[in-house]
Amino acid sequence: MRNLSLLFIISSLFGCAQFIPPTGGPKDEEPPMITEQFPENGKTSFKGNTITIAFNELIDATSLRQELIITPQPKGVYNLKVKPYSVELKYDEPFLDSTTYTFNFRTGIKDLNEKNPAINLKVVFSTGPEIDSLSVSGKVADLWTGVNADEILVGLYDLRTDDTLPILERKPSYFTKTDTSGKYMFENIKDSDYKLLGFKDSNLNLIFNDKTEVFGFVQDTIKLDSNISNLDFEVYPYKTSPPKIQRSLSRQFTYSIKIDKPVKDVKVNFPNEGDSLTYQIRDKELVFFNHPFTSDTILTNIIVIDSVGNQVESENKISFKLNSRNITKPELLRISSRDFKNNQTIKKPENYILQFEYPITALNTSSISIISDTTYKENFELQWLDSSNTLLEIKVKPKASREIQLNIDIGSITNFKSDSNNTYQLINKLYQQEDFGAIDGTYIKFLGPKIIQILDFKRLKIVNQQYFTDKFNFPELLPGLYKLRIIEDKNDNGQWDTANFENNELPERIIISESAIKLKANFQLSDIQIE
């Protein structure tokens, strides 16, 4: 009985799923080493459906499913069995005939104690008489930032298969992922014709989803009959599907239509004669205002257009949740400056852009003033920048040298809800000319129109930008560390255009300076060259 009890205790300990590593002693820096493997690397004519690897110490395989890359993808699915010293993958369907398989475990198996990953852990075998031995390698970078693109899924799509699905709708024949330096490598690939592309596989389904993922591809078909190295390419935003209307929300004063991507333009038609509503675009939202006031349902035909020209047309019935008493107490109308904050030191402004939540119906221009250096009253012009009267531009050519302030008297502005403003004052000190530095230069490698952006070196945030053909000039930049980004604009539409994979067209090119450009106050960097 005593021996049976002891045997039960030992069995319970070894059957437990969690092992507690011993404490004390020198730190274990050695990775797990393979003691037994089936099938062995290089095995040909393999007919089994199970892969087993045993190690010389206790292992942790909790991340194996996320790390394991199997190419080409087998038809079936595997059952993973993790034991204290080994792992087993058992497939529910046989492997394809005359096919070389690579199981790359990456960092999916570690020792239990110090979490040292097994190094270069791969299992390569063939179900035919030969092991495929061709390789493809290269590097992937982010086109917009110039930095290495890690965790990009790189796929090889065999063009000689009988798969009739478009490439972007199917899984790759072989795939791998880039490391932290942006490098990728395929090994044990068969001789064939391939298309190579990469994307951020956010949903882990091995299929490109253009709503959320960056994308890139090699333009030429890869005729693989020998090893290929240095096959580099870039990834970039690639959202080519048309926008979609997600949902709508009716309120007392607004009717909001949510869209799944940023909106560049919108066209609204009112089929019924006499119908009209004020509306506004807000990034991923189209907002209708109950102005002119109506208690009826308004029929609209809406065409939403995104930044690359894709569009969606929708018929919507617009209605508002009216107050049962139809009485609304006026509220405080809020004014906000788009570009400046109060007490912020700024460049001498050429305009102010004021933003309002609701359409403005009354504006007393005589109650607005701009004062330079506390004494001089400036002349200015007013212009609404949108049809909804929610963006007001105040154009000015100030004579100020030290300080400028914008004043708006109480009750000067009223919106369609009868809300009016409190006294508004925006006071800003001005940078002096000696506070600035300047940068100028040329770039002719991209012929025709281009866009140049001055970027903050650390955050890569756009500080300033301009359009140019050959020469660029930024006469007033604050001291700092910068990068320059030049964007090709072949079609002269004032924006960067992405690729068209179906037409095998690459995106407009982008080049970004590698090292920091240090600009000092009262100093000019001339004839800057970007390689």
Side-chain angles (χ1 to χ4, degrees):
M1 181 66 68
R2 183 179 301 171
N3 291 338
L4 287 175
S5 299
L6 180 60
L7 179 61
F8 174 76
I9 293 172
I10 293 173
S11 300
S12 299
L13 286 173
F14 279 91
C16 183
Q18 183 174 0
F19 290 85
I20 301 175
T23 59
K27 182 178 179 180
D28 178 14
E29 297 182 354
E30 293 295 324
M33 304 297 293
I34 296 174
T35 58
E36 194 174 345
Q37 175 181 318
F38 179 83
E40 65 271 18
N41 268 326
K43 172 70 175 176
T44 57
S45 301
F46 178 66
K47 303 303 179 185
N49 66 339
T50 303
I51 292 93
T52 305
I53 307 177
F55 299 90
N56 65 338
E57 57 181 314
L58 295 171
I59 59 169
D60 174 5
T62 53
S63 64
L64 180 55
R65 288 190 181 274
Q66 292 75 38
E67 289 292 323
L68 180 60
I69 293 178
I70 308 167
T71 57
Q73 194 80 355
K75 280 189 175 181
V77 295
Y78 65 83
N79 176 55
L80 175 63
K81 184 181 293 185
V82 180
K83 297 181 179 180
Y85 289 88
S86 66
V87 293
E88 177 187 277
L89 287 79
K90 186 173 184 178
Y91 273 85
D92 61 353
E93 291 189 32
F95 296 113
L96 295 175
D97 291 335
S98 300
T99 302
T100 298
Y101 286 94
T102 300
F103 285 68
N104 187 344
F105 291 78
R106 300 200 296 168
T107 60
I109 294 180
K110 307 176 180 69
D111 67 53
L112 186 64
N113 190 12
E114 298 294 343
K115 309 302 180 185
N116 299 306
I119 298 174
N120 297 325
L121 180 53
K122 291 183 181 180
V123 175
V124 180
F125 62 86
S126 175
T127 55
E130 296 180 352
I131 294 286
D132 295 325
S133 59
L134 296 177
S135 66
V136 180
S137 62
K139 193 172 184 179
V140 182
D142 187 296
L143 180 64
W144 274 87
T145 63
V147 302
N148 301 325
D150 65 336
E151 285 299 303
I152 294 294
L153 185 143
V154 183
L156 280 171
Y157 296 77
D158 194 339
L159 302 181
R160 296 184 190 172
T161 66
D162 55 2
D163 194 335
T164 58
L165 277 176
I167 286 179
L168 295 187
E169 296 179 17
R170 70 194 205 205
K171 295 179 180 180
S173 307
Y174 299 89
F175 72 94
T176 186
K177 286 188 178 181
T178 57
D179 61 18
T180 55
S181 63
K183 294 180 180 179
Y184 71 90
M185 172 171 276
F186 293 97
E187 295 179 303
N188 304 109
I189 308 300
K190 71 175 181 178
D191 181 337
S192 191
D193 295 340
Y194 296 97
K195 196 70 178 176
L196 186 145
L197 57 88
F199 56 91
K200 197 78 171 180
D201 188 22
S202 303
N203 51 12
L204 303 177
N205 67 350
L206 303 180
I207 298 176
F208 175 63
N209 176 358
D210 76 345
K211 294 181 181 64
T212 58
E213 297 163 350
V214 294
F215 171 86
F217 67 97
V218 174
Q219 194 172 28
D220 295 331
T221 296
I222 300 170
K223 297 183 180 298
L224 191 60
D225 53 13
S226 60
N227 295 337
I228 297 177
S229 59
N230 301 319
L231 191 59
D232 303 341
F233 65 100
E234 293 98 5
V235 290
Y236 36 81
Y238 188 76
K239 298 183 178 182
T240 58
S241 60
K244 292 182 180 179
I245 293 176
Q246 296 179 313
R247 62 186 183 277
S248 59
L249 179 62
S250 176
R251 298 186 179 94
Q252 183 177 359
F253 299 109
T254 61
Y255 186 93
S256 170
I257 298 175
K258 298 288 186 179
I259 302 159
D260 70 340
K261 60 169 64 176
V263 177
K264 182 180 181 181
D265 194 15
V266 66
K267 298 176 182 178
V268 179
N269 297 313
F270 299 92
N272 296 330
E273 187 176 353
D275 284 349
S276 178
L277 287 173
T278 305
Y279 58 89
Q280 180 190 56
I281 300 171
R282 297 177 180 174
D283 190 36
K284 297 182 180 180
E285 183 181 25
L286 173 61
V287 179
F288 286 90
F289 302 99
N290 194 1
H291 174 68
F293 175 81
T294 181
S295 58
D296 298 331
T297 297
I298 304 295
L299 182 64
T300 62
N301 288 324
I302 300 170
I303 299 176
V304 177
I305 305 170
D306 67 15
S307 61
V308 295
N310 297 313
Q311 63 183 43
V312 62
E313 187 171 354
S314 173
E315 184 177 279
N316 291 76
K317 295 179 180 180
I318 310 300
S319 61
F320 302 92
K321 288 186 176 180
L322 300 179
N323 189 309
S324 58
R325 298 182 180 180
N326 205 25
I327 298 174
T328 303
K329 183 179 179 180
E331 300 175 332
L332 177 65
L333 183 151
R334 299 188 182 278
I335 303 172
S336 61
S337 170
R338 188 186 69 180
D339 303 312
F340 308 124
K341 296 179 181 179
N342 199 33
N343 297 320
Q344 177 187 16
T345 303
I346 63 173
K347 297 179 184 178
K348 187 184 294 187
E350 296 179 353
N351 62 5
Y352 293 91
I353 306 294
L354 300 183
Q355 299 175 320
F356 305 95
E357 185 177 4
Y358 298 106
I360 302 303
T361 54
L363 175 63
N364 183 358
T365 59
S366 63
S367 297
I368 300 175
S369 63
I370 298 177
I371 308 297
S372 288
D373 297 334
T374 69
T375 58
Y376 185 80
K377 190 172 183 179
E378 298 282 2
N379 296 319
F380 57 86
E381 297 178 4
L382 299 179
Q383 177 184 354
W384 289 106
L385 298 180
D386 64 335
S387 60
S388 63
N389 284 16
T390 57
L391 279 178
L392 178 64
E393 180 182 28
I394 306 176
K395 296 181 179 180
V396 63
K397 295 181 179 179
K399 298 180 179 179
S401 61
R402 302 183 309 277
E403 181 184 282
I404 189 168
Q405 63 183 59
L406 169 65
N407 303 307
I408 303 177
D409 294 342
I410 187 172
S412 304
I413 305 174
T414 307
N415 65 24
F416 81 97
K417 294 169 51 193
S418 299
D419 305 333
S420 60
N421 66 292
N422 261 339
T423 300
Y424 178 82
Q425 191 172 63
L426 180 63
I427 302 175
N428 297 105
K429 293 188 179 299
L430 300 180
Y431 286 113
Q432 302 302 299
Q433 191 59 43
E434 58 268 22
D435 293 329
F436 297 114
I439 292 177
D440 66 67
T442 60
Y443 191 80
I444 59 174
K445 290 185 178 180
F446 299 164
L447 298 179
K450 295 173 278 290
I451 304 166
I452 182 167
Q453 298 174 336
I454 305 290
L455 308 176
D456 176 272
F457 179 74
K458 290 184 178 180
R459 296 178 297 165
L460 295 183
K461 182 180 178 181
I462 299 173
V463 175
N464 205 336
Q465 68 176 20
Q466 61 184 230
Y467 300 94
F468 76 108
T469 302
D470 298 321
K471 298 181 179 179
F472 57 86
N473 181 32
F474 294 90
E476 292 184 343
L477 291 172
L478 293 173
L481 293 177
Y482 297 111
K483 279 192 169 190
L484 302 184
R485 180 163 59 201
I486 295 179
I487 303 168
E488 184 179 36
D489 188 18
K490 288 190 297 186
N491 56 6
D492 198 16
N493 65 349
Q495 66 179 27
W496 174 82
D497 292 306
T498 192
N500 187 321
F501 180 75
E502 285 75 14
N503 294 338
N504 203 33
E505 296 174 358
L506 293 175
E508 290 179 321
R509 292 172 293 177
I510 295 175
I511 188 168
I512 185 168
S513 57
E514 293 185 4
S515 56
I517 298 173
K518 185 175 183 179
L519 183 64
K520 300 178 181 179
N522 202 25
F523 191 81
Q524 177 154 348
L525 296 175
S526 295
D527 197 25
I528 293 291
Q529 302 291 323
I530 304 176
E531 298 299 330

